[in-house]
Amino acid sequence: MIKFFRKIRQNLLSEGKAGKYLKYAIGEIILVVIGILIALSINNWNETRKQSESEKAFITSVKNDLKQDKAFIQQIVEIIEPRIEAYKVLNSDLPNLYANDKKSLDSIFDNYFKTQRTFYPISGSYESAVSGNQITVFRNKKLIQKIIKLYNSTYDRLLDNGQILDERWAFLSKKYSYERRTGHFREMKPEQLSEFLDDLYHHYIQMEWYLNQLKLAKSEIDSIN
């Protein structure tokens, strides 16, 4: 093709047709510019398509991760809510239960200390997009902002508060290891019962805060899905 255009130029020059040569040269320049613009347009279209496919894959992956996160959060909520109710019963009626209904007291205590779980998110898809700097060019800004807030703010608070809750749980588990091991309350004086409630209270306050954060995270996950 280049040889073809070169031959035309040489023929026009050899025939002394400078005017026609000038017009031809201008036309050739226009064709080259059009070709460049077409090539750029195709390249931009390909890049936009790749970016769109990457964004769709990211959102799909994150939503799959969040579906698992939500199920895990629900499991923890189902552990915490009965424990909060158990604390309320103990706080309002511990002396009476201790004096008159040790069997019910042991059952409540067993339910309170049955298990401990705190939340850790599945964040591989999100971290991969962030590390590759892809997330900054995605077009669905409203959804991306929700995802960033969930991972960088709500989840961070959950992790921090989960660590505090684990520490308070470890303290209770160690201090009341006899009750956990035997399933029965040891003999306690009134001041020891009061101390026991004080210890539970600090754990209970953290649980309530943590429960609210879990429910907030669930709400944010629903708004993304």
Side-chain angles (χ1 to χ4, degrees):
M1 183 64 70
I2 293 174
K3 289 182 179 180
F4 173 74
F5 286 124
R6 185 182 295 137
K7 187 176 180 180
I8 294 175
R9 290 198 302 269
Q10 289 173 348
N11 289 338
L12 289 171
L13 286 172
S14 63
E15 295 174 4
K17 299 178 180 178
K20 289 186 177 180
Y21 173 79
L22 181 60
K23 292 179 181 179
Y24 170 80
I26 294 171
E28 188 175 333
I29 291 171
I30 292 172
L31 287 175
V32 171
V33 171
I34 290 173
I36 293 172
L37 291 175
I38 291 172
L40 287 173
S41 178
I42 292 173
N43 183 65
N44 289 339
W45 178 83
N46 281 330
E47 289 301 318
T48 300
R49 179 180 58 82
K50 289 178 183 178
Q51 181 179 315
S52 178
E53 290 175 355
S54 177
E55 183 171 352
K56 287 178 182 178
F58 165 74
I59 291 173
T60 299
S61 296
V62 165
K63 286 185 176 182
N64 287 336
D65 289 350
L66 294 181
K67 184 178 180 181
Q68 296 178 69
D69 284 349
K70 184 179 176 181
F72 187 23
I73 288 172
Q74 183 59 34
Q75 289 178 11
I76 299 171
V77 168
E78 290 172 1
I79 291 171
I80 290 178
E81 286 182 334
R83 185 175 289 165
I84 287 175
E85 293 306 311
Y87 167 79
K88 291 178 179 178
V89 172
L90 291 172
N91 186 51
S92 65
D93 205 29
L94 178 60
N96 176 55
L97 289 170
Y98 184 79
N100 302 308
D101 195 353
K102 285 282 187 64
K103 186 175 181 180
S104 294
L105 180 59
D106 290 341
S107 177
I108 294 170
F109 188 91
D110 181 62
N111 286 331
Y112 192 96
F113 280 88
K114 185 170 292 183
T115 186
Q116 168 76 1
R117 298 288 295 276
T118 47
F119 175 72
Y120 290 91
I122 301 171
S123 56
S125 298
Y126 175 75
E127 290 177 357
S128 177
V130 170
S131 63
N133 207 33
Q134 294 174 296
I135 200 167
T136 59
V137 296
F138 289 156
R139 290 188 163 187
N140 193 341
K141 300 300 182 183
K142 186 176 181 180
L143 182 61
I144 297 304
Q145 286 172 358
K146 288 182 179 181
I147 292 172
I148 291 173
K149 179 179 181 296
L150 176 65
Y151 279 94
N152 289 358
S153 179
T154 305
Y155 275 1
D156 280 353
R157 285 198 304 273
L158 269 178
L159 291 172
D160 290 342
N161 282 277
Q163 183 177 354
I164 296 171
L165 191 62
D166 284 338
E167 290 170 356
R168 293 185 179 176
W169 171 259
F171 168 80
L172 287 176
S173 297
K174 183 177 181 180
K175 187 170 182 178
Y176 299 100
S177 57
Y178 172 84
E179 284 79 5
R180 293 199 68 202
R181 178 172 56 82
T182 64
H184 301 290
F185 244 77
R186 75 187 81 175
E187 293 298 320
M188 288 189 180
K189 297 177 181 179
E191 59 268 22
Q192 290 176 306
L193 290 176
S194 179
E195 181 182 355
F196 169 68
L197 283 178
D198 287 343
D199 290 337
L200 285 192
Y201 174 75
H202 294 296
H203 184 246
Y204 157 75
I205 290 297
Q206 189 62 33
M207 277 197 303
E208 279 214 318
W209 173 257
Y210 192 62
L211 181 62
N212 289 333
Q213 293 300 308
L214 289 169
K215 291 180 177 180
L216 174 62
K218 276 183 65 179
S219 176
E220 289 185 19
I221 290 172
D222 287 339
S223 74
I224 291 170
N225 285 322

